[in-house]
Amino acid sequence: MRHLYVQGKEVDGAGINASFAVHQDVDGRATDVALGWSVALGSPFTFVTSLEDEYKSDIFGERGILLGAVHGVVESLFRCYTENGMAEDAAYKNTVECIMGIILKTISTKGMLAVYKSLNDEGKKEFEAAYSASFYPSMDVLYECYEDVASGNEIHSVVLAGRRFSEKEGLPAFPMGKIDKTHMWKVGEKVCESRPAGDLGPLHPFL
């Protein structure tokens, strides 16, 4: 994070944005102090927020992107690729390694448009077709996810789900499974063992 903040200081707009909220301002300097910290960190853009807004955006981001979408995308595409003849190691590289490697690196340092521009003409056409086909269905799902978070239904469901993991005679009633037990992650263990140092993986335009 610090590296990206410094990058934002040196390269206009390429760092990590910052947000701040003032709930109690005793001496009238709270906003100035917060902005001072943001400038010192090298954040290229700073915006005001509130605890409610942060709660909604953070929980939505975790459910809709970090913990939900990314895993769902790589699992479903891994199965799609292998069912259509792609070798398992190649399917892992073109899903997990692609997102966590070259795509993440490019977006975090140069932005989303740079991913598109790095593709050849054929790759750009494949990117455009996949983007156009997935945009509105994805937006519908994410709207529903955000509404669940904003209404409190999401947290309510988490609280209720927690009861399934409450201990009964010293053991969880319904133990939570581990993500690395799926077939895709087992394939990934072998791929990671043979990955050359510094290899960011391939850039699959469809993904």
Side-chain angles (χ1 to χ4, degrees), residues 1 4-5 8 13-20 38 41-47:
M1 291 296 292
L4 291 174
Y5 276 123
I16 297 294
N17 294 334
S19 61
F20 74 95
S38 181
L41 288 167
S43 181
F45 183 78
T46 306
F47 59 92

Side-chain angles (χ1 to χ4, degrees), residues 40-76:
L41 288 167
S43 181
F45 183 78
T46 306
F47 59 92
V48 66
T49 185
S50 68
L51 183 59
E52 180 182 354
D53 287 343
E54 288 304 294
Y55 151 75
K56 290 178 181 178
S57 64
D58 284 358
I59 300 300
F60 165 70
E62 288 179 1
R63 300 302 188 269
I65 306 298
L66 301 178
L67 303 181
V70 173
H71 180 215
V73 165
V74 294
E75 281 279 6
S76 61

Side-chain angles (χ1 to χ4, degrees), residues 131-150:
Y131 185 94
S132 298
S134 62
F135 182 87
Y136 285 109
S138 298
M139 185 171 67
D140 286 342
V141 171
L142 291 173
Y143 262 127
E144 182 178 347
C145 182
Y146 184 82
E147 288 168 353
D148 277 349
V149 170

Side-chain angles (χ1 to χ4, degrees), residues 17-33:
N17 294 334
S19 61
F20 74 95
V22 176
H23 179 68
Q24 189 177 47
D25 192 353
V26 177
D27 60 4
R29 297 177 56 248
T31 296
D32 290 339
V33 171

Side-chain angles (χ1 to χ4, degrees), residues 118-129:
S118 69
L119 301 168
N120 58 28
D121 290 342
E122 184 177 348
K124 287 178 179 177
K125 290 180 180 178
E126 187 174 0
F127 179 104
E128 291 166 2

